[in-house]
Amino acid sequence: MSEKFVLQAKGLVKRFGRVVALDHADFELRAGEILAVIGDNGAGKSTLIKSLSGAMAPDEGEILLEGEKVHFSSPMAARNAGIETVYQNLALSPALSIADNMFMGREIRRPGLLGKAFRMLDKKAMDGVARRKLSELGLMTIQNIRQPVETLSGGQRQGVAVARAAAFGSRVVILDEPTAALGVKESRKVLDLILGLRAKGLPVVLISHNMPHVFEIADRIHIHRLGRRIALINPKDHSMSDAVAIMTGAMAPPQSQAA
Amino acid sequence: MSSTDNPTGNFESAAANGSAEVAQFDEPSRSFVKSVQYALHVHPALIPLIILVLSVAGFGLVLGQRFFSPFALTLILQQVAIVGIVAAAQTLVILTKGIDLSVGAIMVLSSVIMGQFTFRYGFPPEIAILCGFAVGGLCGLISGVLVAVVKLPPFIVTLGMWQIVLASNFLYSRNETIRAQDIEANAPILQFFGESIRFGGAVLTYGVIAMVLLVAVLSYLLNNTAWGRHVYAVGDDAEAAELAGVRVKRTLISVYVVGGLICALAGWVLIGRIGSVSPTAGQFTNIESITAVVIGGISLFGGRGSVMGALFGALIVGVFGLGLRLMGTDPQWTYLLIGVLIIGAVALDQWIRRVSA
C-alpha cells in the first residue's frame, strides 16, 4: 500500500451538470514506466487527464505528486511542478516558428537590463536550445528552427510538441492520442520518441485508442470505464481483445490488479 | 541551372544538382510559386511594400515632378499620419483575431478631453493631455475586459463602444469646437504634433515622425518580446496559447488598453493636424484604419501580419488618393481602386494561409 508513485490521484470526482464525468476515479503512475490509459469514448479519460494536467479542477478527490498533495489551478501550475502535457490538438501556434512554440509561455529573456526592463527575448539562446532538444530526439530533419509550424508535416508537428514536453517535463509527460492523426511511418517515429523518454527515466502517461501501439510500448494499462478505473492490467498477461472487452463492459474486470 | 550561380568552381556539386533536375520537369516552376508563397508567409508585409513602391513609381512616371517632389511625397505622409497611428492600434487588435470599431471615437474623445480640460477647467495642458491618454486607455480597458473576461465578440463590444464613446464625446463637448487661435495662444503644446521640420521642399510634421517611431517601436515589441509573441499566439489559436501557458486574458486586455492609448496619441496628433479641437473630426478614421490594415496584409483571422504592413497599407491609400487627385480624376476612382485592393489583399491572405503541408 505504501508504494511511492510519481503521480497519483485518489477518488477524483468531476460533474458537468447532471453528467458525472469522473466517478471516484483513481490513478497511479510509477517511476520510469509507460502507463497507457484506454477507455471508450465518453469514459472520462480526457477529464481525468485534464485534472492531472491542471486544465480542469476536479470537484472532489486529491492529486499527489511524489507523495505530496498538489492543487493545480492552471496548466502553468502543473507545468511548473514538472508535469508536461502534449494535447491532442498539440497546443501549437501554427503561424509562429518552431523555436517560438517551444518556448511559448516561458521565453528566455536577455540577461541584465535588456531582459528585465525591456523584456527582450534571447532569440539566439532559444534557437540553440530548441535545436539541441530536437536533435536529441532525432528530429533534426527539420532544417530551419525559425520555420513556421504550419509548414511541417503532422508527424513533425507532433515531434515539436513532444520535444517541448521532453525539454521542460522534469517529472511526468502526458501524451493525449499522439498517433491518432498520423500515418504508419510517422506513428513509428512518435512511438520511438516515447520509448526515448522512458529511456531517459521520464514516466509517460499515454492516452490512446490504438491497441497495437498501446500493447507494444506500455508497461501497464489503466482501463477507464464509466468515469472510473475498472482495471489495471499488464499487457503481457492479457490480450488486446481482453482489454477491449473489459473497456466496453463485455468482460468482467480481473479481480487481482496487475503487479 | 545552378552552375550559373555557382562561381566558386564547385563543379561536382553543380553537376550533381543539375542531373537530379533533368527528370523533374515540372518541379522548378511549381516550387517557385511555392517559394513565393512561403516568402509571403514569412514576410507578410512584402506585398504591400511592393504595391507601394510600384504605385509611387507609376504615379511618378505619369505625373513627373508634380508628384515626385519632396513636397508632394511628404504631403502624403502628413495626410496618412493619423490613419497610420490608428492603424497601428487596429493592427494589435486584429492580430488577436479581434476588431476595434471604436478606434476613431476614442481618438476624438481623447482630443476633446485634452482640449476641454484645458479650456473649460483651466488644467495645465500637460495634465489635460495625460487625462486624454487616461481616458483612451480606460476605453480600451473596458473593451478589453468585455472581450477577454465576459467573452463577448470583439465586433459587438466595439460596435457598442463606438456609439457610447462617440455619444459621450458629443454630450460632453456640447458639440463645441475650440478654435485654433485660442489653442495657439493659450496651450500651444496641444498643437505640438503640427510643428514640423523642413528641409528643401520636404515637410515632416512631428505627427509623421511620431507615426514612424510608433510603428518602429511596436514592430520591435511584437517581434522581440514575450508579450509580442503572445499577441500572435493568442490570435493564432487562443486555446492552444492558453494550454501552452500564455495568460490569454491578460494579453487580450493589454492589447485593447495599448490600442486605446495609441488612439489617444492619435487624438493629440489630430489637434496638431487640424489646429482646432473638434468633436466632429475624424469621422472615417475607423474604416480607414481597417482598410489600411487589410491592404497591409494583416489577416482578419488573427495571428498574421505586421505593423509595418499596416503603415504600408495606409501609405498605399495615401499615394492613390493624392496621385489620382493630381491627375484630375473623379475621387470616386480612388474609392473604387481601394475597394479592389481590399478584396485582392484578403484573397491573397487566404492563399498564403494554404502554405501548410
Side-chain angles (χ1 to χ4, degrees):
Chain A
M1 278 308 281
S2 59
E3 186 185 359
K4 218 168 165 215
F5 298 108
V6 180
L7 186 62
Q8 187 180 14
K10 289 183 191 165
L12 291 186
V13 176
K14 179 76 189 179
R15 300 183 190 88
F16 298 101
R18 293 168 63 187
V19 179
V20 182
L22 285 182
D23 183 11
H24 301 280
D26 296 325
F27 174 90
E28 284 139 20
L29 176 70
R30 289 176 181 164
E33 74 169 348
I34 296 176
L35 175 73
V37 176
I38 63 172
D40 213 349
N41 290 330
K45 285 175 306 200
S46 304
T47 313
L48 173 68
I49 294 317
K50 282 184 177 158
S51 304
L52 296 175
S53 66
M56 193 182 274
D59 299 330
E60 286 172 33
E62 55 185 22
I63 297 171
L64 302 147
L65 180 62
E66 288 179 350
E68 284 185 36
K69 248 177 114 166
V70 284
H71 282 283
F72 299 134
S73 53
S74 71
M76 211 57 206
R79 190 159 285 176
N80 289 337
I83 301 176
E84 279 290 324
T85 307
V86 178
Y87 296 94
Q88 196 170 355
N89 63 6
L90 300 182
L92 297 173
S93 293
L96 295 181
S97 75
I98 296 167
D100 280 338
N101 267 293
M102 282 194 65
F103 289 93
M104 185 57 61
R106 50 193 151 195
E107 291 80 1
I108 304 176
R109 302 256 184 91
R110 282 272 187 90
L113 190 68
L114 283 173
K116 272 204 191 105
F118 297 98
R119 304 182 65 194
M120 198 168 153
L121 297 178
D122 194 340
K123 287 201 164 181
K124 247 189 201 158
M126 280 165 51
D127 287 358
V129 174
R131 197 170 290 129
R132 204 175 67 234
K133 289 294 170 188
L134 286 173
S135 21
E136 270 176 26
L137 293 171
L139 278 167
M140 267 328 269
T141 43
I142 297 164
Q143 311 88 339
N144 185 354
I145 212 80
R146 294 252 170 105
Q147 205 173 333
V149 163
E150 65 196 339
T151 60
L152 301 177
S153 72
Q156 287 176 319
R157 288 186 207 193
Q158 194 77 51
V160 171
V162 173
R164 173 168 71 180
F168 294 100
S170 51
R171 283 168 162 165
V172 179
V173 173
I174 301 174
L175 299 153
D176 191 1
E177 295 282 2
T179 56
L182 302 182
V184 177
K185 252 181 159 174
E186 295 197 316
S187 294
R188 185 75 263 146
K189 187 102 192 172
V190 170
L191 293 180
D192 289 344
L193 284 179
I194 298 170
L195 292 170
L197 294 182
R198 182 178 63 182
K200 280 173 57 184
L202 267 176
V204 176
V205 181
L206 168 71
I207 298 96
S208 183
H209 268 110
N210 190 313
M211 290 303 147
H213 290 167
V214 166
F215 272 76
E216 184 189 332
I217 66 168
D219 296 310
R220 294 191 303 159
I221 302 174
H222 166 139
I223 304 180
H224 216 72
R225 180 170 157 73
L226 303 176
R228 52 155 56 126
R229 179 180 68 187
I230 59 162
L232 193 55
I233 61 169
N234 188 321
K236 291 186 190 77
D237 304 336
H238 291 81
S239 69
M240 280 187 219
S241 47
D242 286 351
V244 174
I246 297 169
M247 189 174 103
T248 53
M251 184 172 135
Q255 284 309 306
S256 62
Q257 299 210 322
Chain B
M1 60 174 270
S2 38
S3 60
T4 49
D5 45 34
N6 191 352
T8 51
N10 193 346
F11 296 112
E12 273 178 26
S13 75
N17 288 341
S19 65
E21 276 161 347
V22 176
Q24 300 171 327
F25 192 70
D26 272 347
E27 268 313 281
S29 66
R30 215 187 74 206
S31 67
F32 173 72
V33 174
K34 278 237 152 148
S35 58
V36 169
Q37 195 180 17
Y38 183 76
L40 292 179
H41 191 270
V42 180
H43 306 287
L46 219 52
I47 284 274
L49 179 62
I50 293 168
I51 295 179
L52 178 63
V53 170
L54 288 181
S55 56
V56 169
F59 282 115
L61 281 176
V62 176
L63 294 163
Q65 278 300 309
R66 276 199 300 154
F67 180 83
F68 221 65
S69 67
F71 177 77
L73 292 178
T74 51
L75 181 65
I76 294 173
L77 283 171
Q78 292 170 42
Q79 287 170 341
V80 302
I82 288 159
V83 172
I85 292 171
V86 176
Q90 190 69 262
T91 304
L92 288 179
V93 175
I94 288 184
L95 278 178
T96 65
K97 212 184 253 176
I99 193 156
D100 195 340
L101 299 173
S102 64
V103 283
I106 296 176
M107 170 184 83
V108 176
L109 179 64
S110 299
S111 79
V112 163
I113 297 277
M114 291 175 189
Q116 294 289 353
F117 274 34
T118 308
F119 286 88
R120 198 185 294 180
Y121 308 130
F123 277 31
E126 293 81 3
I127 302 291
I129 287 168
L130 284 179
C131 293
F133 274 99
V135 167
L138 182 69
C139 293
L141 181 65
I142 296 171
S143 296
V145 168
L146 289 174
V147 168
V149 182
V150 190
K151 305 220 181 282
L152 301 178
F155 185 91
I156 301 301
V157 168
T158 57
L159 183 66
M161 284 299 283
W162 177 12
Q163 305 301 332
I164 293 167
V165 172
L166 204 60
S168 312
N169 158 54
F170 286 125
L171 289 171
Y172 173 70
S173 67
R174 303 181 197 127
N175 224 341
E176 61 188 37
T177 299
I178 301 168
R179 293 187 307 159
Q181 302 94 295
D182 295 342
I183 296 175
E184 209 175 327
N186 299 312
I189 191 173
L190 288 176
Q191 294 174 340
F192 173 76
F193 286 107
E195 289 173 41
S196 56
I197 308 171
R198 288 154 199 272
F199 43 91
V203 183
L204 285 179
T205 59
Y206 291 176
V208 169
I209 295 166
M211 170 184 73
V212 173
L213 285 179
L214 176 73
V215 169
V217 167
L218 279 179
S219 270
Y220 175 81
L221 290 177
L222 284 173
N223 288 312
N224 294 294
T225 66
W227 177 78
R229 299 285 84 191
H230 293 176
V231 169
Y232 279 93
V234 166
D236 215 353
D237 187 339
E239 204 185 330
E242 178 85 57
L243 290 175
V246 174
R247 279 175 287 196
V248 172
K249 280 182 197 165
R250 263 177 53 163
T251 309
L252 273 177
I253 294 173
S254 73
V255 160
Y256 283 88
V257 171
V258 171
L261 292 173
I262 295 174
C263 292
L265 173 69
W268 188 5
V269 176
L270 179 71
I271 302 174
R273 173 90 188 129
I274 62 178
S276 57
V277 171
S278 161
T280 54
Q283 298 279 349
F284 301 105
T285 314
N286 266 352
I287 290 302
E288 285 169 350
S289 73
I290 297 171
T291 304
V293 166
V294 171
I295 294 179
I298 292 135
S299 172
L300 288 172
F301 306 100
R304 256 162 261 251
S306 68
V307 213
M308 215 69 102
L311 175 60
F312 297 148
L315 287 170
I316 289 170
V317 174
V319 166
F320 273 96
L322 185 74
L324 291 173
R325 194 152 7 114
L326 287 176
M327 284 169 73
T329 53
D330 190 315
Q332 292 307 327
W333 283 106
T334 311
Y335 296 114
L336 193 148
L337 266 172
I338 288 168
V340 171
L341 279 180
I342 290 173
I343 293 172
V346 174
L348 192 71
D349 174 50
Q350 291 291 347
W351 180 65
I352 293 170
R353 284 178 156 260
R354 268 182 266 134
V355 75
S356 42

